[in-house]
Amino acid sequence: MNQLFIHPRLGKKAAAFLAREHKLLIGGKWLPARSGKVFDTYDPGTGRVIARVAEGDAGDIDLAVNAAREAFENGPWGRITPSDRGKMIWRLADLLEQNADEIAELEALNNGKSLSTARNSDVPLSADLFRYMAGWATKITGETLSISTPGTYHTFTVREPIGVVGQIIPWNGPLAMATWKLAPALATGCTVVLKPAEQTPLTALRLGELIQEVGIPDGVVNIVTGFGHTAGAAIAAHPGIDKVAFTGSSEVGRIIVKAAAGNLKKVSLELGGKSPVIVFPDADMSVAVPGVTQGIFANSGQVCTAGSRLFAHKKVFDRVVEGIAEQASKIRVGHGLNDGTQMGPVISQVQMERVSDYIEQGRAAGATVAAGGGRVGDEGYFLEPTILTDTNPEMSVVREEIFGPVLCAMSFDDDDLDRIAKQANDSIYGLAGSIWTRDLSTAHKMARRIRAGRIGVNVHGSTDAAIPTGGFKESGWGREKGHEGLHLYTEVKSVIVAL
């Protein structure tokens, strides 16, 4: 068995957490997996083992679902007032902030992102989302209806919690994705079985400890670590789960939909993307160039909304590409815990090989590597920020989600917005996009034409809690965050009273 590696830059609290035995949170108790199995968790910056985590499977999921069902139907959770529910969620945000340094270190170590990103973005944005949803707990309302049926009636609707929710989160933003799903579920009064990605279970487990510290009743949140083909599949198929919320690949999303058909449970999906970035000749290059750079290379390109397809007008194409290449060359690639790191590794050896293979596919198909294209160092899973030019819509690098720091650049020489939009929409995905122009009319017209769930104008996007996120086409079903995110966790009931 490999010896655990404790990174020398890790703080005492984070190091102490890693050294603990990492069990499953089920019904308020920390339990080993029923099989007794554990699996290794790695630091993608070194490729070394940093923790061992219980390997839950279908039997553990069944225990967790039963605990969540008991908490939903018979526990105190359903009797807690919306105001008190909101206060608990708010206190959870406070605890996140109070433990921000430790949690940021765990996120940076386990996911690979820079410590500054984890500390200044992931943790505070997660706290903000908990507070945003805490405020909605007292504002979940129905409507009074006027009906035309003969007689006198009082007719209204109410929104009720959907019940027991299975939530499966990805590895690219472990803390943030857990928050996106837990916060609205708790605000609406649901109970949860959460499965973090097998690559990045650590901050979800630490969050489970904070949930207990806040006083959220036992069984309301259950956390089962394990693999997608066992624990994740069991969540999707379990007849005791009323709804599944999944963020991840479109391929796995399809599998979940099929498995969920058993009891016709509700499903929401936030899936892949291949987001277009359209730069018009009048764009402010001092804004567009760094904005496009950030939009593709943030989090090592491992963002479902990443702006991975660049369409720049022929008049400015060379200037845009050269500007992005210059900025990319200055990005400091390194271990997430190192001072000054701006871009960390991709998540695993498998992902590094996948991204590298796509770059080679692009080369073989005639693309030019205008920047990057190679590995950085010989330890960990680091790749250079990469730009491919001479690409076209028939290439796999343009059509398929790479999920790495690779930008595919194409030019257009057209002023017809419909034709430009047709190129941008030529994708099975429709998650996000951005438009870079000084022309207000062009911005609004293009925003209406792009078929995607989120469009930025002179910005690629925003992580604000109030903005719904989700996709058109094969990018998923439903919207997370914002008021829309609450609707994923409620059912509408109509009540007709004859007077």
Side-chain angles (χ1 to χ4, degrees), residues 82 85-86 89-90 126-140 179-188 465-466 479-487 489:
R85 202 162 62 231
I89 301 169
W90 193 282
S126 295
D128 185 59
L129 185 62
F130 274 126
R131 291 193 178 106
Y132 176 88
M133 290 298 176
W136 275 112
T138 56
K139 302 170 187 67
I140 299 170
T179 305
W180 282 26
K181 288 178 170 51
L182 283 171
L186 294 175
T188 53
R479 297 292 182 269
E480 296 188 301
K481 300 196 304 176
H483 188 209
E484 292 286 334
L486 291 167
H487 293 171
Y489 296 96

Side-chain angles (χ1 to χ4, degrees), residues 16-29:
F17 174 81
L18 290 180
R20 296 209 288 270
E21 190 175 4
H22 300 291
K23 299 181 179 181
L24 315 175
L25 177 59
I26 299 178
K29 298 178 181 178

Side-chain angles (χ1 to χ4, degrees), residues 9-229:
R9 288 182 174 270
L10 208 59
K12 290 182 179 179
K13 289 182 68 177
F17 174 81
L18 290 180
R20 296 209 288 270
E21 190 175 4
H22 300 291
K23 299 181 179 181
L24 315 175
L25 177 59
I26 299 178
K29 298 178 181 178
W30 293 95
L31 305 173
R34 294 178 68 182
S35 66
K37 292 181 180 179
V38 297
F39 64 95
D40 290 338
T41 297
Y42 295 86
D43 166 15
T46 62
R48 300 172 75 171
V49 179
I50 53 174
R52 292 190 180 87
V53 178
E55 185 182 329
D57 57 24
D60 303 289
I61 292 295
D62 189 56
L63 282 177
V65 172
N66 290 338
R69 177 62 60 190
E70 176 65 20
F72 181 74
E73 294 184 353
N74 302 314
W77 187 236
R79 298 187 296 274
I80 291 175
T81 66
S83 177
D84 286 341
R85 202 162 62 231
K87 289 175 184 176
M88 288 182 179
I89 301 169
W90 193 282
R91 286 201 298 272
L92 184 55
D94 291 342
L95 282 182
L96 260 183
E97 289 182 338
Q98 290 167 22
N99 294 275
D101 291 337
E102 174 199 356
I103 292 170
E105 287 181 356
L106 293 173
E107 190 82 336
L109 184 69
N110 195 189
N111 166 269
K113 66 179 60 190
S114 72
L115 180 59
S116 63
T117 298
R119 181 64 181 84
N120 299 321
S121 180
D122 293 64
V123 174
L125 287 172
S126 295
D128 185 59
L129 185 62
F130 274 126
R131 291 193 178 106
Y132 176 88
M133 290 298 176
W136 275 112
T138 56
K139 302 170 187 67
I140 299 170
T141 62
E143 297 178 298
T144 300
L145 307 176
S146 297
I147 64 174
S148 300
T149 304
T152 304
Y153 299 90
H154 174 48
T155 308
F156 58 94
T157 63
V158 292
R159 283 194 173 271
E160 298 181 349
I162 203 166
V164 176
V165 180
Q167 300 181 325
I168 304 172
I169 58 174
W171 44 259
N172 62 319
L175 177 65
M177 294 298 99
T179 305
W180 282 26
K181 288 178 170 51
L182 283 171
L186 294 175
T188 53
C190 294
T191 59
V192 175
V193 177
L194 177 75
K195 193 201 88 66
E198 53 264 32
Q199 297 90 341
T200 54
L202 298 180
T203 48
L205 293 172
R206 185 68 182 97
L207 189 59
E209 294 179 347
L210 299 184
I211 285 168
Q212 288 189 303
E213 189 174 338
V214 161
I216 291 173
D218 293 347
V220 172
V221 177
N222 305 274
I223 301 174
V224 179
T225 50
F227 292 89
H229 66 278

Side-chain angles (χ1 to χ4, degrees), residues 112-117 294 297-301 327-336 338-345 385:
K113 66 179 60 190
S114 72
L115 180 59
S116 63
T117 298
Q294 175 71 11
F297 298 132
N299 204 31
S300 305
Q327 295 218 346
S329 69
K330 297 176 181 177
I331 293 174
R332 292 189 293 275
V333 179
H335 194 284
N338 289 350
D339 293 337
T341 290
Q342 294 173 307
M343 191 177 99

Side-chain angles (χ1 to χ4, degrees), residues 310-324:
L310 169 65
F311 298 91
H313 195 280
K314 190 174 182 179
K315 291 180 181 178
V316 295
F317 180 82
D318 290 343
R319 184 180 172 192
V320 171
V321 171
E322 289 168 5
I324 297 170

